[in-house]
Amino acid sequence: MFVTVEKYKTPAKILLGLIAITFVGFGVSTVSAPGSDYIVKVGDRKVSEFDLNTTLQNLQHSGGASESRETVFQALLQRALLAEGAEEMGFAVSQEQLKQNIVNDRTFHDQNGKFSQNLFNQYLSQRNLSEDQYIDQLKSEFAVQHLLAMVGGGVLVSDAQAKQIINAGQVERTIRTITFTPEAFAAQVKADDAALKKYYDANKKNYIVPQAVKFEYVALNIQDLAEKQTISNEELNKALEQVVPAREIAHILFTVAKDAPENVRAAAKAEAEKVLAQVKANPAKFAALAKQYSRDEGSAENGGNLGYLPKDGGLLKEFEDKAFSLEKGQISELVQTDAGYHIITVLNIQDIEKEKARIEAELKQKKATSAFNEAKEKLTEEAFNHPDSLTEVAKKLGLKVEAPADWLTRENGKAAGMPDALINTLFSDDVIKKKHNSEPVTVGDGLIWVVRAKEVREESTQTFNQAKEFVKTDYIRAEAGKLAETKANQALADVQKGKTAGLTWSPVSQMTAEQARKSMPPEAYTQLAKARPAQGKPAYALLSNLPAPVLVEVQAVKVPDNITQDQIKAIKQTIGQAQGANNLDVLITYLNSTIKQTQGAQKVNTQQE
């Protein structure tokens, strides 16, 4: 119904794309206990489980990317914020404009391309909306679109500016370089004790030995338990008997409201029977006829294909009953549901034999989950009953005591990817001071550890004598770096005066802008970009923020030839989009902080994703 707004590369992009495939109403609800009919209320707009489920279903039917419930909920929340914000800012559209939009919407056009009041009424009936409710929703959507147009305007970029940006991005430089490595100056540094002591006193924070622990642990892993489970043939066959193979289903839908007048229903049925006759005569044309006649916007363009669907009550009953009674390739007679008339076919039926391994694994996992919960309780009990030893705990549960050899600090634990909960437990008073067994701590999905400290090293600052060798290395590196910088600056001053004797340059090479950006930090690239040869003479730049100072001689700069209008248009659009996306982020953050939000009783993750 609305064009997808692809240019917003923010979390709101998901919802803005969904606007094109589903119409989600906010605040239309039946009378119920306060808070029971929504997840969150944004101003006066409610975001409910129904909104979330409907959006997810329409996204799936449209062939869009699979998104989590939480991600789609956040998109709906942002949409509600934008709608409320648009209303507060006074964005409005006239009734005449709204009515004209409805008349122009092809969703409501008949085969002659004219507006059909019957199709419009069917649309409202299927969504349980009155005409006034629909108009209110449409008004809200237009207000959001106007608000987005305002914040997404971006910045104006002239053709000349766009050409400069293209030149900067595609320029190729002819260069040669000299690198002043600190190691080359290390021998010139005098590292006597007085200099080292002075350096040590100024940098004591670098010679702190952090608190560390050597620990041991036992691990309870649900996967280990799953591998130990056995499933009998009887259990497996019984489970397989309960499985109804999923089917790849396609249909052609002729929409008609269940309370539509008899003449409207008869016309829809007549059209469906005519198409059914064509399908029966040539089943191979099913997909083409679905594209031509089906009123299911989510599947028509895909030849009516709804994908693989389970028999789980998620479909209209009459539809599901018929679809799961057909053989592969069989075409149904007309099937009447509350949505209208359907012609159904089954494209494929899932092979249950291929599902045996998955079903067996699921049964093992189910048994393992029960065993895991029991083992977790026992692990907690044994760790408490034997607080000063993991050996007894391991024996009771048939586990192995593991003991990493290295000292663990908070910093290297985080660097190794340990969960914060585990690090905090290891450095808690119970573990590190009392040396007691910890409570079970979750380390990963289905993985629990109980840990105990074996040795503890308290934080301390190394004395000068203890740290002397480290101090010497650090001091020499720092002083050599200063000498390298001094030499590099002197060389830059010399070449800028035309003195090049005694300098050892690298071979001449070509460097593109892309290569330069990838090989150096932004500050260095900016310094390089400023060096532009003039009057047949090279330009020089000293690049900083690199491991070593690099002197660059830029002999020539070649800019791209024949910049096309398409390139200019693309770079202007990119800059505008980036600015628009940033504006939208700022707006949503502002609205989130100023518009009242009330939590309801419904939850986001109440279903299996």
Side-chain angles (χ1 to χ4, degrees), residues 215-344:
F215 70 98
E216 58 186 8
Y217 69 95
V218 292
L220 181 63
N221 192 336
I222 195 171
Q223 293 308 320
D224 293 340
L225 294 175
E227 290 171 6
K228 294 175 183 177
Q229 305 304 314
T230 57
I231 305 298
S232 68
N233 288 334
E234 183 181 357
E235 288 176 300
L236 181 57
N237 290 333
K238 186 177 181 180
L240 287 170
E241 288 174 4
Q242 305 302 314
V243 176
V244 177
R247 294 173 172 226
E248 187 179 11
I249 300 169
H251 78 142
I252 304 173
L253 172 64
F254 303 86
T255 55
V256 59
K258 60 183 179 181
D259 57 351
E262 189 56 38
N263 63 327
V264 173
R265 180 169 294 281
K269 185 176 183 181
E271 182 185 21
E273 288 174 337
K274 182 184 72 172
V275 176
L276 176 61
Q278 295 180 58
V279 174
K280 294 275 190 178
N282 189 353
K285 292 182 65 178
F286 190 99
L289 291 169
K291 286 184 179 181
Q292 183 177 357
Y293 291 105
S294 182
R295 290 289 182 177
D296 181 359
E297 296 177 5
S299 69
E301 286 302 312
N302 200 28
N305 194 333
L306 297 170
Y308 276 92
L309 299 173
K311 188 175 183 181
D312 60 0
L315 301 169
L316 293 168
K317 185 179 186 306
E318 299 86 354
F319 185 101
E320 186 170 272
D321 288 346
K322 176 54 68 176
F324 281 84
S325 69
L326 297 173
E327 300 295 329
K328 178 180 176 181
Q330 187 178 356
I331 307 295
S332 74
E333 299 300 327
L334 290 187
V335 177
Q336 184 177 350
T337 71
D338 287 348
Y341 295 100
H342 308 257
I343 302 170
I344 306 171

Side-chain angles (χ1 to χ4, degrees), residues 164-180:
Q164 289 180 346
I165 294 169
I166 294 170
N167 286 341
Q170 298 183 8
V171 70
E172 183 178 78
R173 294 176 176 83
T174 302
I175 65 169
R176 58 178 184 168
T177 63
I178 304 173
T179 301
F180 297 85

